[in-house]
Each structure stands twice: as structure tokens, then as C-alpha cells.
Amino acid sequence: MPLLCLDVGSTWTKGALVSDGGALLRTAQHATTPPEVLRGVDAVAGELGAPPSLVCSSAGGGLRLVVVGQERLVSAEAGRRVALSAGAKVVHVCAGDLDEPGVRELRASEPDVVLLVGGTDGGDRRTLLHNARELGAAGVRFPIVLAGNADARAEALELLAGRTVVATGNVLPDIGELAPGPARAAIREVFLRHVIGGKGLSRGHRFRDLVRAVTPDAVLTGVSLLASAVVDTGAVLVVDVGGATTDVYSAAPTADAPTGAVALPPDRRTVEGDLGVRWSAPGVVAEATAARLVDPDPALSAAADHRATAVADVPATPAEAATDLRLATLAARLGIRRHLEAVGPSFGPLGVGLLVLSGGAFRHAESVAIVEHALRADPALRPLLRTARLTVDHHHVLAPAGLLSASGHLGAATHLVTSELT
């Protein structure tokens, strides 16, 4: 029986009907319909003639995460790097002992989840317990994922009594050893149980019950699956330019770190909330001008300002489509640059073998040759992309592949990404 995979985004709700074997049968999309997103979900399901099977969502701003750690270069950095692999946007990092001003800063960042880490297993307990005590005394209402020193877990839970807490394995069980899996699973659990229902996206429980993952987490799973399928040609880099954000994902065969440092997870994601082709279009032009990727251009600035106020508009002329593509190209260049700053240049011995462009501006373009030229000509990106093959995710299959894989349909997921993207 075919499976209908749905991605409910801030702008569009996209559906992919996939056969048991992973063949893409049909796709459809509808504008997302807050404050009742189920109207858009049902419209897509009706067009594709199947009930929703697997759903992910980034509507309502996705997943905002704060990391509270022992010190920035070790445990706080470990927590930040776990978040890179968990589909979360890190909006604040606290390092060291929390105090009253620190708690105020944390609240001001408006997190959906706090990742509380600190100490290796059997190592220092003091900072983790101090921060647990401060968060407990402050009466914070946002959920907390506790992923620090296992020997201090029971006492930390006592200090956090009355709060919503999910305890899991230490993200840094030993010096230089990063273990992101348990924390990533716990962050996903918190999103599904405690966050998605509080976004004001739908009445009742039906939408919350349908959602299986935050969209970036599903996409990252799809990217990892794709990287496994093309492991002999190098790492995979995916750039997804949306209306509000630009997400960049990478999956590398290995991710080595210097002795004593915190190793990067092989699969990672960064999100740029000021880069997009609708809400965030003015930020693209401002940053690209500041970085000297473009000369000051009043016409481009005016077009970006218009898109930020008319977010549901679709290009009606070739000139409007060309402007969308230009903005998306600039967002991609800036997003990849920032991704490299966040995760470093380590993509394994073969470097990047496959570059995937995702997002409506790329999918609807007659040709992305001009995009490819701009990316390869960028001096900051040229060494990274010199031998990479470029493709476009025309049917938005990475999120459905991630949903399928996480739900036990690994064969179908693998067939879907390899048939569409390789």
C-alpha cells in the first residue's frame, strides 16, 4: 500500500506518495494554513488520494534549542554539535555557572528545549548540579533534556523536580568522545511530546499525533542515507533555501578532530534564520552586499523588501523567477560559507562528492547552470566544490526518505533517494 509522506513547513505543505518499494508515484503541495494546518494537510491528501501516513513539520519556527554546558570549549561545544545533528536551531549557548542574569538571557532567547550537559561520566559534577539547581529554582517551563555526567543524573533530576525533564546518555562520556545518538533521540521525543502541540498550529490532538519528526531531523536522516549510498564518491552537501531560512546539511564518511577536542558528528546541519527568499529576503541582500558578493543594487533590495511582505506570492513572470533564483543563489553561497565556519572543512578524504540543491527557486528553475557557476566561482567555496557533482531535489524527497527510514521502511527510503538524486 502506498505511503503518503507530508512535510508541513512554514510556507508550504508538501506531499509525496511513495510505493512500498520506494518509487515516487505523485507529489502535491498546498500553502500551509495556520492557525489550522490540517486544512492544508487534508488538501494535499485529497489531491493525492491517500490518507497521511508519515508527517514531519517545521511550521511555527521549527525547534529552538539552548545549550547549557560546563565550559564552552568542551561540554557546551559538545552540546552545540549534538544540536547540529538533531534538527534544532541553536539560539543561545550558556557556559559555566548559571546566575540570575544568565537565566534572564536564556529566557529571552525563547527556547523550545534546553539541552543541559556537563562533565564526563565519573568526572566533574559540580557545574552540572549547580545549573540544574538554578533551572529548577527559576521555575522554567520549557522542557529540559538532561545529557551530562551519568553519575550526577539522579541528583540533577531531584533538583529539577517539577520541571519537564527527559534524561538520557551523556553527550560527552569521555574526553574527546562525542555520543550524539541518545541526546538526538531525546530531543526528538521532547519535540513530539511537548513542543509541537504548543505551537498554536492546530486544535485538538490529530496533528500532534500525525507528526513523527521535526523536518530538519527527517531531512538529515535522508541526507545520511544518501551519503551511505554514495560513500565511494565522497561526502554529501545539501543546501535547502526556503522562504524564511536556509538550511545546510552535510554527511561525511569521517569527521576527525584533534586530540582533546570534541569530534563533529558525521551528519550535521546549520540553519540561517536571516537567509530566505520571502520573509528573510532583505537579510540575503544585506548580507550579500556586506560580504561583497553583489554591488549595492536598489532594484534587488526593493524586490527583496516586496517578497518579505508578500510571502505567498509565486513568480508570475520570467523576470520574477530570475530574481527568486538570484536571491536563492546568494542565500546558498552565504549558507554554505556559514556552515563551513560552524563545522569546519572536514568532509573525509574524498571531499564533497555530491551537492544537492533544494527549495522552490531551484526546483522550478529551467536550468541551474547559473547557480552552479556562481557556487563554483566563489573563492570561499571553490576548493570544497571543485569536483562535486550537482543535482536538484526536484521532488523534495529527502524529508520523505528520512520519515520512511525512521519508520522501518529502509529499503523504500534508500530506493527513493538513490533513484531521485543519484
Side-chain angles (χ1 to χ4, degrees):
M1 179 178 178
L3 296 170
L4 176 54
C5 302
L6 287 166
D7 171 15
V8 182
S10 295
T11 310
W12 294 98
T13 294
K14 299 171 283 288
L17 190 65
V18 183
S19 74
D20 290 340
L24 184 64
L25 302 177
R26 293 191 301 280
T27 62
Q29 67 178 28
H30 189 281
T32 299
T33 56
E36 182 49 78
V37 297
L38 284 174
R39 291 191 292 113
V41 168
D42 291 339
V44 173
E47 184 173 345
L48 294 178
S53 304
L54 304 168
V55 179
C56 59
S57 176
S58 59
L63 178 60
R64 297 169 58 86
L65 185 139
V66 164
V67 179
V68 177
Q70 184 164 319
E71 58 95 18
R72 190 170 296 275
L73 292 180
V74 182
S75 57
E77 180 65 6
R80 188 186 71 85
R81 293 188 176 194
V82 168
L84 291 179
S85 72
K89 178 182 181 181
V90 179
V91 294
H92 188 55
V93 175
C94 307
D97 290 355
L98 270 177
D99 54 15
E100 192 171 320
V103 172
R104 284 200 298 269
E105 283 187 50
L106 188 155
R107 290 184 189 276
S109 66
E110 300 181 344
D112 293 314
V113 181
V114 167
L115 177 62
L116 177 57
V117 300
T120 57
D121 289 343
D124 181 75
R125 301 159 46 95
R126 190 198 65 79
T127 305
L128 177 66
L129 294 177
H130 170 89
N131 290 340
R133 185 179 295 108
E134 290 297 311
L135 290 171
V140 296
R141 295 185 177 182
F142 31 74
I144 297 169
V145 171
L146 175 61
N149 185 345
D151 291 359
R153 184 179 303 150
E155 190 173 348
L157 284 171
E158 291 179 5
L159 294 168
L160 292 165
R163 314 278 76 82
T164 298
V165 184
V166 175
T168 190
N170 193 351
V171 301
L172 194 69
D174 202 353
I175 296 296
E177 179 188 344
L178 182 66
R184 178 178 175 179
I187 291 169
R188 182 187 302 116
E189 177 187 344
V190 166
F191 174 78
L192 295 177
R193 289 193 178 186
H194 304 290
V195 175
I196 190 66
K199 291 284 187 178
L201 300 172
S202 179
R203 293 182 178 180
H205 297 285
R206 182 181 164 219
F207 179 64
R208 186 184 65 186
D209 293 342
L210 283 171
V211 174
R212 304 291 185 89
V214 59
T215 297
D217 193 27
V219 173
L220 192 62
T221 300
V223 173
S224 179
L225 193 66
L226 179 60
S228 297
V230 297
V231 66
D232 293 337
T233 62
V236 171
L237 183 67
V238 176
V239 187
D240 186 2
V241 179
T245 68
T246 291
D247 294 0
V248 182
Y249 305 81
S250 58
T254 60
D256 298 328
T259 302
V262 179
L264 277 167
D267 310 328
R268 54 260 188 164
R269 171 238 184 189
T270 51
V271 57
E272 309 303 336
D274 61 336
L275 304 178
V277 294
R278 288 296 180 269
W279 283 278
S280 305
V284 173
V285 177
E287 179 67 15
T289 303
R292 299 185 178 181
L293 302 186
V294 293
D295 294 327
D297 186 338
L300 184 63
S301 296
D305 291 342
H306 170 73
R307 282 160 172 74
T309 60
V311 297
D313 281 6
V314 295
T317 66
E320 290 178 356
T323 299
D324 267 9
L325 190 61
R326 186 182 180 193
L327 289 168
T329 302
L330 291 171
R333 292 173 67 183
L334 293 165
I336 297 173
R337 285 181 171 207
R338 294 182 186 178
H339 187 76
L340 293 176
E341 291 174 0
V343 309
S346 177
F347 290 92
L350 299 176
V352 174
L354 180 64
L355 171 64
V356 180
L357 301 178
S358 183
F362 300 131
R363 287 198 296 273
H364 299 137
E366 292 185 5
S367 169
V368 292
I370 191 171
V371 183
E372 183 172 8
H373 174 75
L375 292 173
R376 294 193 192 277
D378 189 320
L381 307 182
R382 188 184 301 123
L384 177 73
L385 303 178
R386 184 175 59 252
T387 61
R389 181 169 60 87
L390 185 144
T391 190
V392 178
D393 185 3
H394 285 289
H395 296 115
H396 192 73
V397 298
L398 285 166
L403 285 169
L404 290 166
S405 176
S407 301
H409 303 279
L410 180 60
T414 301
H415 180 81
L416 180 62
V417 292
T418 54
S419 61
E420 291 289 324
L421 299 177
T422 63

